[in-house]
Amino acid sequence: QVQLVESGGGLVQAGGSLRLSCAASGSIVSINNMGWYRQAPGKQRELVAEITSGGDAGYVDSVKGRFTLSRDNAKNTVYLQMNSLELEDTAVYYCTAKIRTHWGVADYRYWGQGTQVTVSS
């Protein structure tokens, strides 16, 4: 029932910017951490950024100073503003969120379908 819908991916030149959005919908009681992973071909999926329900964000070292994570709790949406994009940022980006769907039930991590980000020279 819970769904994470991502948008904002695309092709951009190195040095450019993109803004990814991820909106959660469905039977939601509360959303705890939300974040973004990415996976390039032949490489392991890595955590890019994560944000708590209170707005505290953390980032992998390679994107610090370039990416900014934010969320709009009223819209159940998380945003990843990506500036100064580099070739190495090319990957499929996956939204993830820990969501409680019923009181008394543990949070469960949900995933979006992934959105392609391609950075060209």
Side-chain angles (χ1 to χ4, degrees), residues 12-15 38-41 43-44 46 48 60 62-63 66-67 82 84-93 116-121:
V12 64
Q13 288 189 330
R38 67 185 180 186
Q39 186 168 27
K43 297 185 178 181
Q44 292 184 331
E46 68 170 349
V48 178
V60 67
S62 60
V63 308
R66 301 188 297 117
F67 291 8
M82 304 186 295
S84 302
L85 283 162
E86 303 170 353
L87 295 177
E88 293 74 19
D89 296 318
T90 296
V92 177
Y93 285 70
Q116 177 71 47
V117 172
T118 302
V119 183
S120 64
S121 61

Side-chain angles (χ1 to χ4, degrees), residues 25-44:
S25 62
S27 301
I28 298 172
V29 172
S30 64
I31 303 176
N32 291 313
N33 289 4
M34 303 185 76
W36 292 87
Y37 283 71
R38 67 185 180 186
Q39 186 168 27
K43 297 185 178 181
Q44 292 184 331

Side-chain angles (χ1 to χ4, degrees), residues 10-80:
L11 192 153
V12 64
Q13 288 189 330
S17 299
L18 285 174
R19 190 187 192 193
L20 305 183
S21 299
C22 174
S25 62
S27 301
I28 298 172
V29 172
S30 64
I31 303 176
N32 291 313
N33 289 4
M34 303 185 76
W36 292 87
Y37 283 71
R38 67 185 180 186
Q39 186 168 27
K43 297 185 178 181
Q44 292 184 331
R45 184 176 299 189
E46 68 170 349
L47 177 65
V48 178
E50 191 173 45
I51 188 168
T52 69
S53 61
D56 294 324
Y59 307 87
V60 67
D61 287 343
S62 60
V63 308
K64 288 181 179 177
R66 301 188 297 117
F67 291 8
T68 302
L69 194 64
S70 62
R71 64 190 289 170
D72 185 338
N73 291 334
K75 297 181 178 179
N76 291 333
T77 299
V78 63
Y79 306 94
L80 184 65

